[in-house]
Amino acid sequence: MSLRRSARSGWAISAPLSVCLILAGCGGGSISRGPHSVARAPSAGPMPLQSQSVPDDLAALRKVAVVPLTPDQAVDARYIGKRIRWAGSIHHIAPSETGACLTLSYMRSGDDGAPLWQAAATDQSFRACTVGAYDRQLVSDFTTVTIIGRISGKADVGMGGAHSTGPAVEIEKLFRWSDCLSGDTSPVCKIGFVTLTVPSRD
């Protein structure tokens, strides 16, 4: 059962969940904000594993050494060069001279780097840039990801025409989360680190 949020109509209750609500006999479930993103309650279980590489990617995500900062804290110049691990939902992607920049709504995460869905929004954003490009079937608006990278300065992180300053991050790795059902091996259901396509220098 799940709650899904469409780009046009907002939250929608699926048929199985509506039956559960009537019968008052269902437990917790997952919440999704987009076709390729995941959102889960803080008490939810681990994400479904769909390939042999996923446990290794999760272990690498968990073990990376980072500085425990939030985007609001990271705008301080003394943190430039520090490595962070931030979860977030992609608001939009824009091309850059060397690749692409992602503007993300910051999400709190656990010690393993997995995003935690909470009732109160963080109201924090950050911009993460990389050399090259990601497959847009895997990394697009509303995709939920965890970024490993280093703070490189400040950037405009405004959304919807508003202007706001937040930290800029140079991406080292991008971990993608998925809301696909366990066992679904479709390419768009990938969970794990996403490989960059780096342009040729010829």
Side-chain angles (χ1 to χ4, degrees):
M1 70 175 178
S2 64
L3 287 174
R4 291 189 175 272
R5 179 184 181 183
S6 68
R8 296 180 180 177
S9 59
W11 294 109
I13 301 178
S14 63
L17 181 55
S18 63
V19 174
C20 291
L21 291 175
I22 293 172
L23 298 179
C26 289
S30 64
I31 300 175
S32 174
R33 294 185 59 193
H36 301 151
S37 62
V38 66
R40 55 176 186 160
S43 60
M47 303 306 300
L49 304 183
Q50 296 155 318
S51 72
Q52 190 60 41
S53 66
V54 173
D56 293 338
D57 284 359
L58 287 170
L61 181 67
R62 185 182 306 112
K63 293 178 181 178
V64 64
V66 296
V67 177
L69 295 171
T70 65
D72 280 355
Q73 296 169 329
V75 295
D76 190 319
R78 62 180 168 162
Y79 294 122
I80 290 178
K82 299 297 184 181
R83 179 181 282 125
I84 54 81
R85 180 185 60 202
W86 289 339
S89 175
I90 298 174
H91 183 270
H92 65 268
I93 302 174
S96 68
E97 293 183 358
T98 58
C101 288
L102 290 60
T103 299
L104 302 99
S105 298
Y106 170 72
M107 301 168 62
R108 295 180 180 87
S109 59
D111 293 338
D112 57 356
L116 301 175
W117 284 93
Q118 299 177 332
T122 64
D123 294 325
Q124 299 181 56
S125 303
F126 64 100
R127 193 177 195 200
C129 298
T130 187
V131 175
Y134 295 107
D135 185 339
R136 292 302 291 269
Q137 291 190 80
L138 300 177
V139 181
S140 59
D141 295 357
F142 303 112
T143 305
T144 301
V145 300
T146 296
I147 300 289
I148 297 172
R150 293 187 181 274
I151 299 167
S152 59
K154 298 179 183 179
D156 184 355
V157 296
M159 301 178 184
H163 293 283
S164 178
T165 299
V169 174
E170 293 179 356
I171 298 175
E172 295 178 351
K173 288 187 175 183
L174 180 149
F175 190 102
R176 180 187 191 275
W177 302 94
S178 171
D179 61 358
C180 293
L181 296 176
S182 179
D184 191 334
T185 58
S186 303
V188 295
C189 291
K190 174 180 173 62
I191 297 174
F193 291 115
V194 178
T195 302
L196 274 168
T197 300
V198 180
S200 166
R201 294 185 179 182
D202 295 341

